[in-house]
Amino acid sequence: MMDNKVIVSGIGVVSALGVGVNENLNSLMTLKSGIAPITLFETNHDVMVGEVKLDNMEMIEMLCLDTSKRYSRTALLGLIAAREAYSDSGFILLSQHDRIRLKIGVISSTSVGGMDVSENFYKEYRLDKSKGRLRDLIGHDCGSSTKIIADYLKADDFVSTVSTACSSASNAIMLGTRMIKNGLLDVAVVGGTDSLSRFTVNGFYSLGILDKEQCRPFDETRAGLNIGEGAGYLIIQRSDIPHEKTYGEVCGYANANDAYHQTASSSDGTGAYLAMSGALEVSGLYPEDISIVHAHGTGTPNNDASEGSALLRIFGNKVPLFSSTKSYTGHTLAAAGGVESVFSLLSLKYGYVWPNLNFGVRMRDVDVMPVVQLVSGMDIKYVLKNSFGFGGNCTTLIFGYCNM
């Protein structure tokens, strides 16, 4: 009989905190933020961002790619994190015979796609139609980075791209889990990748939700978010397939939409509440079973008040320890659910609760307060991870301790 548990056997991440799980873990433990002034490109906006401190050519060389080809920064970041997760899981060591017997898919997510290459192309092309290489635009599509990752890993039994704004990577993890549970895949590479671009900086600036200083999630003085870039991927699989290590089990998941507004969350957090309650129902757990919450926590006045209200609706006056790590990495958009799921699994494995950096003043209107100091040695059984996107697309995942 097929085992219905879905476990996480490998993780990979790249963010403003560093390249790879070890560098990110060290930065989290030492309370080192990656938020700083933008250097990747020129902009008229005075903003702080979470940049990955590698240029594209450095990443191409790290990945041993053809240096004559043009790759989007989104694809390169995704390749680094997905490769690490795949190697971490041990599947790269499987014989060709064993790999053929397994249905291995890639479900990735992005919002910016290859916009960084496209906008550089257009900058020249609009002045001189003879300039620029049209073939560079092949990577513009959101599905391009997913295809590149699947081809690189030779994991192409199912290849799909999810783009639901900031909930994208969590939705990719949820879809992969459901496919494995229903026998459609044995193993899945799931997560997301996004890179900084003028398009996203200008877009978020036009909404008036970028903070010129380092963001302060759940703080009364919060003034907006810092955009970040990065990638985070998990290797999820049936638990009865041999594996070298286990980071946890995907116990619960749910997606909901309150259809409240294109870019804002409802004041009572209806979408967030529906996603959290749905994930608890799928997992068979009760609110009191949750050890910690890894909040979406963007640092905008609207999001944090809405999510805080939803936490109170779910947990009453017994809200678990919670925090947001966007004060470390910035908001990595479609990649956020992947990056922060890696951080959630590190909490589960090592007993850490990552604090809200830059926190100083408790919110007046919503009576919740995040963790403000590093917690270590905690016996964590279940982590609830929130990811909320534009258009009201809200997703919650629950990761559980797995002694295998």
Side-chain angles (χ1 to χ4, degrees):
M1 183 176 177
M2 184 182 295
D3 192 320
N4 208 31
K5 284 186 177 180
V6 175
I7 61 168
V8 180
S9 59
I11 55 176
V13 65
V14 55
S15 76
L17 299 184
V19 178
V21 170
N22 289 338
E23 286 189 13
N24 277 262
L25 178 59
N26 183 64
S27 294
L28 288 167
M29 292 172 62
T30 57
L31 312 187
K32 177 186 175 184
S33 174
I35 306 299
I38 193 166
T39 64
L40 275 174
F41 48 79
E42 293 183 358
T43 175
N44 294 326
H45 307 310
D46 180 19
V47 294
M48 303 279 276
V49 297
E51 289 180 346
V52 174
K53 302 305 180 185
L54 290 172
D55 63 35
N56 285 17
M57 187 53 66
E58 286 175 314
M59 290 191 281
I60 287 172
E61 291 173 353
M62 283 177 61
L63 294 160
C64 300
L65 297 173
D66 184 347
T67 56
S68 67
K69 291 185 178 180
R70 186 73 61 89
Y71 296 91
S72 72
R73 190 168 175 84
T74 297
L76 294 171
L77 292 170
L79 279 170
I80 288 174
R83 182 181 70 167
E84 181 185 28
Y86 211 57
S87 177
D88 185 42
S89 71
F91 279 104
I92 202 167
L93 303 176
L94 287 179
S95 67
Q96 185 67 18
H97 177 265
D98 288 336
R99 284 168 62 96
I100 289 173
R101 290 191 302 110
L102 297 175
K103 296 189 290 288
I104 306 175
V106 173
I107 306 172
S108 183
S109 62
T110 183
S111 59
V112 70
M115 181 61 76
D116 63 313
V117 176
S118 300
E119 62 192 14
N120 286 334
F121 164 86
Y122 181 69
K123 189 176 181 180
E124 290 185 333
Y125 182 77
R126 70 185 179 88
L127 298 175
D128 184 346
K129 298 299 185 290
S130 67
K131 294 288 181 67
R133 302 189 307 175
L134 281 172
R135 61 181 174 274
D136 287 347
L137 300 182
I138 293 173
H140 177 86
D141 184 83
C142 284
S144 175
S145 57
T146 307
K147 180 69 164 54
I148 289 170
I149 292 169
D151 289 346
Y152 187 89
L153 299 178
K154 297 180 174 58
D156 57 0
D157 290 310
F158 177 81
V159 180
S160 186
T161 305
V162 177
S163 189
T164 55
C166 307
S167 60
S168 299
S170 289
N171 282 331
I173 295 168
M174 179 176 70
L175 176 57
T177 301
R178 293 177 63 200
M179 291 188 71
I180 292 173
K181 281 183 172 289
N182 284 279
L184 300 174
L185 287 174
D186 300 309
V187 179
V189 184
V190 290
T193 177
D194 253 338
S195 64
L196 285 165
S197 69
R198 296 176 183 86
F199 174 76
T200 48
V201 170
N202 293 341
F204 278 87
Y205 189 88
S206 71
L207 295 173
I209 55 174
L210 292 183
D211 196 336
K212 293 183 179 181
E213 302 175 7
Q214 291 189 345
C215 67
R216 302 170 297 285
F218 299 104
D219 189 289
E220 177 64 23
T221 69
R222 66 197 185 279
L225 56 84
N226 306 131
I227 297 178
E229 63 177 356
Y233 287 88
L234 315 180
I235 306 301
I236 58 175
Q237 62 167 80
R238 293 192 348 245
S239 62
D240 59 338
I241 296 173
H243 49 278
E244 294 183 345
K245 61 176 75 72
T246 306
Y247 290 94
E249 178 187 353
V250 186
C251 301
Y253 44 82
N255 173 261
N257 196 314
D258 59 9
Y260 175 75
H261 189 270
Q262 292 102 320
T263 60
S265 303
S266 59
S267 59
D268 61 356
T270 297
Y273 171 81
L274 291 172
M276 287 190 282
S277 59
L280 285 167
E281 182 177 353
V282 168
S283 68
L285 299 171
Y286 296 97
E288 56 267 29
D289 295 322
I290 301 298
S291 306
I292 64 171
V293 174
H294 194 307
H296 186 56
T298 62
T300 64
N302 170 254
N303 176 91
D304 295 359
S306 177
E307 187 171 10
S309 296
L311 289 172
L312 289 171
R313 289 177 68 182
I314 287 286
F315 296 103
N317 62 358
K318 295 182 179 179
V319 176
L321 297 181
F322 76 94
S323 62
S324 166
T325 53
K326 289 183 174 66
S327 52
Y328 285 90
T329 64
H331 189 349
T332 56
L333 306 181
V339 171
E340 293 165 16
S341 286
V342 170
F343 294 170
S344 296
L345 288 159
L346 291 174
S347 290
L348 193 65
K349 186 174 182 65
Y350 297 114
Y352 288 107
V353 184
W354 318 118
N356 260 61
L357 302 183
N358 314 317
F359 184 88
V361 182
R362 189 166 182 152
M363 292 191 295
R364 287 197 300 265
D365 297 335
V366 184
D367 189 22
V368 294
M369 180 173 170
V371 173
V372 297
Q373 294 182 330
L374 179 69
V375 177
S376 61
M378 184 175 174
D379 182 18
I380 298 174
K381 297 298 185 186
Y382 297 100
V383 181
L384 184 146
K385 168 72 199 95
N386 284 333
S387 297
F388 307 141
F390 282 170
N393 196 296
C394 299
T395 300
T396 295
L397 303 171
I398 298 175
F399 298 105
Y401 174 77
C402 194
N403 186 19
M404 292 188 169

